[in-house]
Short mmCIF file of all heavy atoms in Angstrom, two decimals:
data_model
loop_
_atom_site.label_atom_id
_atom_site.label_comp_id
_atom_site.label_asym_id
_atom_site.label_seq_id
_atom_site.Cartn_x
_atom_site.Cartn_y
_atom_site.Cartn_z
N ARG A 1260 -21.79 33.82 -38.82
CA ARG A 1260 -20.79 33.30 -39.71
C ARG A 1260 -21.05 33.94 -41.14
O ARG A 1260 -22.13 33.98 -41.62
CB ARG A 1260 -21.18 31.74 -39.91
CG ARG A 1260 -20.84 31.00 -38.59
CD ARG A 1260 -21.00 29.49 -38.87
NE ARG A 1260 -20.72 28.70 -37.71
CZ ARG A 1260 -20.71 27.45 -37.63
NH1 ARG A 1260 -21.08 26.73 -38.74
NH2 ARG A 1260 -20.38 26.68 -36.56
N ILE A 1261 -19.83 34.30 -41.75
CA ILE A 1261 -19.93 34.89 -43.11
C ILE A 1261 -19.14 33.92 -44.08
O ILE A 1261 -18.01 33.60 -43.89
CB ILE A 1261 -19.09 36.27 -43.00
CG1 ILE A 1261 -19.65 37.26 -41.91
CG2 ILE A 1261 -19.22 36.94 -44.35
CD1 ILE A 1261 -21.13 37.45 -41.99
N PHE A 1262 -19.98 33.52 -45.08
CA PHE A 1262 -19.47 32.63 -46.02
C PHE A 1262 -19.24 33.46 -47.38
O PHE A 1262 -20.03 34.25 -47.76
CB PHE A 1262 -20.44 31.54 -46.36
CG PHE A 1262 -20.70 30.64 -45.11
CD1 PHE A 1262 -21.79 30.86 -44.20
CD2 PHE A 1262 -19.91 29.51 -44.94
CE1 PHE A 1262 -21.88 30.06 -43.17
CE2 PHE A 1262 -20.11 28.66 -43.88
CZ PHE A 1262 -21.15 28.90 -42.99
N ASP A 1263 -18.06 33.01 -48.03
CA ASP A 1263 -17.75 33.57 -49.32
C ASP A 1263 -18.54 32.85 -50.39
O ASP A 1263 -18.29 31.60 -50.45
CB ASP A 1263 -16.28 33.60 -49.53
CG ASP A 1263 -15.94 34.37 -50.85
OD1 ASP A 1263 -16.79 34.69 -51.66
OD2 ASP A 1263 -14.72 34.75 -50.91
N LEU A 1264 -19.41 33.43 -51.13
CA LEU A 1264 -20.25 32.73 -52.09
C LEU A 1264 -19.49 32.01 -53.06
O LEU A 1264 -19.68 30.85 -53.55
CB LEU A 1264 -21.14 33.64 -52.82
CG LEU A 1264 -22.19 33.08 -53.68
CD1 LEU A 1264 -23.13 32.01 -53.05
CD2 LEU A 1264 -23.07 34.12 -54.42
N ALA A 1265 -18.27 32.59 -53.56
CA ALA A 1265 -17.47 31.97 -54.61
C ALA A 1265 -16.86 30.70 -54.13
O ALA A 1265 -16.41 29.75 -54.98
CB ALA A 1265 -16.35 32.90 -55.01
N LEU A 1266 -16.75 30.55 -52.78
CA LEU A 1266 -16.01 29.39 -52.28
C LEU A 1266 -16.99 28.11 -51.88
O LEU A 1266 -16.55 27.03 -51.52
CB LEU A 1266 -15.20 29.58 -51.10
CG LEU A 1266 -14.08 30.66 -51.26
CD1 LEU A 1266 -13.38 30.91 -49.95
CD2 LEU A 1266 -13.09 30.12 -52.21
N LEU A 1267 -18.35 28.45 -52.09
CA LEU A 1267 -19.29 27.40 -51.79
C LEU A 1267 -19.42 26.50 -52.85
O LEU A 1267 -19.20 26.75 -53.99
CB LEU A 1267 -20.60 28.08 -51.41
CG LEU A 1267 -20.62 29.01 -50.13
CD1 LEU A 1267 -21.93 29.61 -49.85
CD2 LEU A 1267 -20.06 28.31 -48.94
N PRO A 1268 -19.98 25.29 -52.64
CA PRO A 1268 -20.14 24.31 -53.66
C PRO A 1268 -21.19 24.95 -54.77
O PRO A 1268 -22.03 25.77 -54.45
CB PRO A 1268 -20.84 23.05 -53.05
CG PRO A 1268 -20.26 23.20 -51.58
CD PRO A 1268 -20.28 24.66 -51.34
N ALA A 1269 -21.03 24.45 -55.98
CA ALA A 1269 -21.81 24.99 -57.11
C ALA A 1269 -23.36 24.86 -56.73
O ALA A 1269 -24.00 25.91 -57.13
CB ALA A 1269 -21.48 24.28 -58.39
N PRO A 1270 -23.89 23.75 -56.37
CA PRO A 1270 -25.36 23.62 -56.04
C PRO A 1270 -25.76 24.74 -55.16
O PRO A 1270 -26.92 25.31 -55.22
CB PRO A 1270 -25.49 22.36 -55.61
CG PRO A 1270 -24.41 21.48 -56.11
CD PRO A 1270 -23.26 22.43 -56.11
N VAL A 1271 -24.94 25.04 -54.21
CA VAL A 1271 -25.33 26.11 -53.08
C VAL A 1271 -25.31 27.45 -53.72
O VAL A 1271 -26.25 28.30 -53.51
CB VAL A 1271 -24.28 25.96 -51.90
CG1 VAL A 1271 -24.67 27.04 -50.91
CG2 VAL A 1271 -24.38 24.56 -51.28
N GLN A 1272 -24.29 27.67 -54.51
CA GLN A 1272 -24.22 28.92 -55.19
C GLN A 1272 -25.48 29.17 -56.20
O GLN A 1272 -26.12 30.19 -56.11
CB GLN A 1272 -23.00 29.14 -56.11
CG GLN A 1272 -21.66 29.09 -55.26
CD GLN A 1272 -20.48 29.32 -56.22
OE1 GLN A 1272 -20.54 30.11 -57.22
NE2 GLN A 1272 -19.42 28.62 -55.88
#
Side-chain angles (χ1 to χ4, degrees):
R1260 293 184 177 183
I1261 307 299
F1262 294 90
D1263 191 341
L1264 182 62
L1266 298 178
L1267 298 181
V1271 178
Q1272 295 185 38

